Structures are given as structure tokens and as C-alpha cells.
């Protein structure tokens, strides 16, 4: 199974995007994370790392990365990318950041992750395919 993390500068936005994607996700773990940890706008690497661990099926104290599922991380903009990079580097789980629009990418990733043969690369590719979706 491949987990998904939705990172936004707004905690409410991350939760809403994860809620929408979860409609398509089956048993896929989708973890929202956002805000500065004090109720404001921003992102925090430690919180993103914890969300990656949860989406991977572990927690921050997990020491054996072999027991963790891979994770695709979707971010909204700017410093979320930088902080997600830091979190991915610190994480014990295999995690990649998708270069995708966060909402459409999360939905595509959720659908892709339901495939029993899904890999971190196949889920990331489907998330990134959302860049080419016309809305009108």
C-alpha cells in the first residue's frame, strides 16, 4: 500500500483536501498536515515528518523502515516544498514529493493508490498527471 500526505499552509485546507481525496481512497492512509503548529498559517517539518510516518503505517519512533509503506507527499506552495523536503530527508519511510496541483493530485494519487500493484512511483506519476487536466 502507498500512503499519501497532503501538506498545506492552512490546516483546514489540508484537512478538506484529504477529505475529498479520501472519497476515492478505499483503505489508503491519507494524512493532512498544515499550519504553523500555533494556529497560524505555515508549515513545520516535524509535523510533516510525523504525517509521513502515520501515512506509512508507523509513528515517529519506528526504527525499521522495512515495515513502512512508501508515501507520496503533495504540497501547496513555497515553503511547504522546502519543509516537505526536510521532512522526507528525516523520515525513515520511503517518501517522495509529487510536483502536482495539491487537490487534483491528491485525488489522482488516492485513486492510483487503490491499485493492489501500486508503487510509490506509479502513485506519484498519477498525481503529477493532474497538471494536464483541463477544467473547462
Amino acid at each position: 500500500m502507498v500512503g499519501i500526505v497532503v501538506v498545506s499552509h492552512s490546516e483546514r485546507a489540508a484537512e478538506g483536501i484529504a477529505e475529498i481525496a479520501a472519497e476515492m481512497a478505499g483503505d489508503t492512509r491519507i494524512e493532512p498536515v498544515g499550519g504553523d503548529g500555533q494556529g497560524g498559517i505555515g508549515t513545520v517539518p516535524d509535523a510533516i515528518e510525523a504525517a509521513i510516518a502515520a501515512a506509512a503505517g508507523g509513528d515517529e519512533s519506528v526504527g525499521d523502515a522495512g515495515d513502512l509503506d512508501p508515501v507520496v507527499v503533495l504540497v501547496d506552495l513555497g515553503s511547504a516544498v522546502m519543509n516537505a523536503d526536510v521532512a522526507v530527508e528525516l523520515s525513515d519511510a520511503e517518501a517522495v514529493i509529487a510536483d502536482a496541483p495539491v487537490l487534483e493530485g491528491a485525488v489522482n494519487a488516492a485513486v492510483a493508490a487503490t491499485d493492489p500493484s501500486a508503487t510509490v512511483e506509479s502513485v506519484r506519476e498519477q498525481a503529477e498527471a493532474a497538471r494536464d487536466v483541463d477544467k473547462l
Side-chain angles (χ1 to χ4, degrees), residues 30-51:
I30 302 177
E31 294 292 327
V33 59
D36 66 0
Q38 299 174 339
I41 299 295
T43 59
V44 179
D46 290 344
I48 299 169
E49 183 184 2

Side-chain angles (χ1 to χ4, degrees), residues 34-97:
D36 66 0
Q38 299 174 339
I41 299 295
T43 59
V44 179
D46 290 344
I48 299 169
E49 183 184 2
I52 291 170
D59 61 38
E60 292 179 11
S61 64
V62 171
D64 184 7
D67 293 337
L68 299 175
D69 291 328
V71 176
V72 173
V73 180
L74 292 112
V75 297
D76 59 4
L77 51 103
S79 63
V81 177
M82 180 179 56
N83 287 332
D85 270 333
V86 170
V88 165
E89 288 294 320
L90 295 173
S91 177
D92 290 330
E94 175 188 4
V96 297
I97 300 172

